[in-house]
């Protein structure tokens, strides 16, 4: 029956922002609310999957019936994923991972002095891109939040990060995307591109998981 289409499957879901500390008082983050990822975790669990939700800081209530791991930085999120990835069948990477982190963490609060100061950043590991080497049979779903050339950039990420599917959303639209309860998604896999009208993030999550189910049945 439909309810149990993911029975016996282990699905990892990441959600929310990462935060990268600058000093004990300040950090770099982004506008991700975590709503899309939490909806995916709930929908996957309702389809019978064994779900681990790895989440950056959000204001959301932890969904029932999922294993929950709280993380802060991109490196912490990566470490949590590494612990679970060998036993997982799929990962849906909806977290907005910071591309860069401060090169050094200042243990004392940076004092106000010069008119201009420079904060040096270093690239974070690309988590999704590195997963193919760690578990080649893992079904990998990425997100591409873009403000322009959304579908083109998403297709490039699908190839470059060796994904099975990517969900593109245009974050320049204020009625959808970050913080909103709605999203306007385009699903891109290696065969086709399907654009959907704006809808709730729960409905988006149902559609995304419908596309993940056939990919998972191939991994048996
Ligand atoms: O390259 P970009 O950040 O736009 O790619 C977005 C996708 O890659 C998302 O699924 C995001 O969770 C993932 N990502 C990642 N590690 C990073 C940056 C992004 O896994 N360092």
């Amino acid at each position: 029956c439909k309810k149990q289409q993911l029975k016996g499957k282990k699905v990892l879901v990441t959600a929310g922002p990462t935060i990268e500390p600058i000093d004990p008082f300040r950090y770099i983050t982004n506008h991700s609310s975590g709503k899309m990822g939490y909806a995916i975790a709930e929908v996957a669990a309702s389809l019978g999957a064994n779900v681990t939700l790895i989440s950056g800081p959000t204001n959301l209530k932890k969904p029932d019936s999922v294993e929950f791991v709280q993380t802060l930085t991109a490196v912490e999120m990566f470490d949590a994923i590494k612990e679970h990835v060998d036993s997982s069948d799929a990962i849906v990477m909806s977290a907005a991972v910071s591309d860069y982190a401060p090169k050094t963490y200042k243990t004392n609060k940076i004092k106000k002095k010069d008119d201009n100061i420079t904060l040096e950043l270093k690239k974070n590991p690309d988590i999704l891109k590195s997963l193919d080497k760690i578990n080649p049979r893992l079904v990998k779903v990425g997100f591409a939040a873009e403000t322009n050339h959304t579908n083109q950039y998403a297709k490039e990420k699908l190839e470059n990060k060796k994904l099975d599917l990517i969900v593109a959303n245009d974050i320049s639209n204020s009625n959808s995307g970050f913080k909103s309860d709605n999203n306007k998604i385009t699903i891109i896999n290696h065969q086709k591109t399907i654009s959907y009208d704006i809808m709730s993030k729960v409905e988006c999550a149902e559609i995304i998981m419908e596309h993940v189910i056939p990919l998972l049945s191939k991994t048996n």
Side-chain angles (χ1 to χ4, degrees):
C1 87
K2 190 173 184 212
K3 276 236 140 312
Q4 294 300 303
Q5 276 171 308
L6 290 176
K7 197 168 165 44
K9 299 291 182 189
K10 186 168 171 197
V11 178
L12 266 179
V13 181
T14 68
T18 58
I19 74 166
E20 308 293 346
I22 300 168
D23 69 15
F25 191 53
R26 307 176 176 99
Y27 57 81
I28 296 172
T29 191
N30 58 65
H31 287 299
S32 173
S33 66
K35 287 176 184 169
M36 192 63 250
Y38 279 54
I40 289 168
E42 268 181 73
V43 168
S46 75
L47 290 166
N50 173 352
V51 177
T52 300
L53 173 62
I54 299 174
S55 174
T58 75
N59 292 320
L60 304 174
K61 185 178 159 284
K62 168 192 147 345
D64 295 330
S65 62
V66 308
E67 185 191 339
F68 186 79
V69 183
Q70 176 79 64
T71 56
L72 291 178
T73 65
V75 169
E76 261 183 55
M77 184 171 273
F78 197 7
D79 288 343
I81 290 169
K82 281 181 197 157
E83 266 180 41
H84 288 87
V85 83
D86 286 337
S87 58
S88 293
D89 299 290
I91 186 165
V92 184
M93 191 84 200
S94 67
V97 181
S98 181
D99 293 323
Y100 291 90
K103 196 166 178 186
T104 51
Y105 172 74
K106 306 279 185 241
T107 47
N108 294 318
K109 187 181 169 198
I110 299 168
K111 298 304 287 175
K112 181 165 49 182
K113 202 171 75 201
D114 300 328
D115 283 349
N116 297 294
I117 62 167
T118 303
L119 178 64
E120 216 182 333
L121 303 177
K122 63 169 190 299
K123 219 179 205 168
N124 267 330
D126 190 321
I127 301 173
L128 255 186
K129 198 172 173 181
S130 58
L131 294 181
D132 196 52
K133 285 205 182 74
I134 304 177
N135 178 357
R137 49 169 283 283
L138 187 73
V139 169
K140 295 178 289 302
V141 179
F143 274 72
E146 301 289 348
T147 52
N148 57 326
H149 304 300
T150 306
N151 289 2
Q152 181 203 326
Y153 288 151
K155 272 183 201 150
E156 286 167 15
K157 279 172 204 173
L158 178 78
E159 301 297 336
N160 180 256
K161 299 190 191 226
K162 295 197 169 67
L163 307 180
D164 298 279
L165 191 147
I166 193 154
V167 183
N169 57 323
D170 186 341
I171 53 167
S172 64
N173 183 340
S174 60
N175 295 322
S176 62
F178 285 143
K179 302 250 192 279
S180 170
D181 286 331
N182 299 320
N183 211 353
K184 185 169 175 359
I185 57 168
T186 298
I187 294 208
I188 303 170
N189 63 25
H190 294 283
Q191 284 79 42
K192 55 184 188 288
T193 297
I194 313 171
S195 290
Y196 293 89
D197 287 335
I198 190 162
M199 62 184 119
S200 77
K201 286 186 174 172
V202 174
E203 288 168 308
C204 290
E206 285 165 357
I207 288 173
I208 293 163
M209 291 317 295
E210 263 170 40
H211 286 273
V212 173
I213 288 165
L215 297 169
L216 268 166
S217 50
K218 281 186 205 137
T219 64
N220 276 334

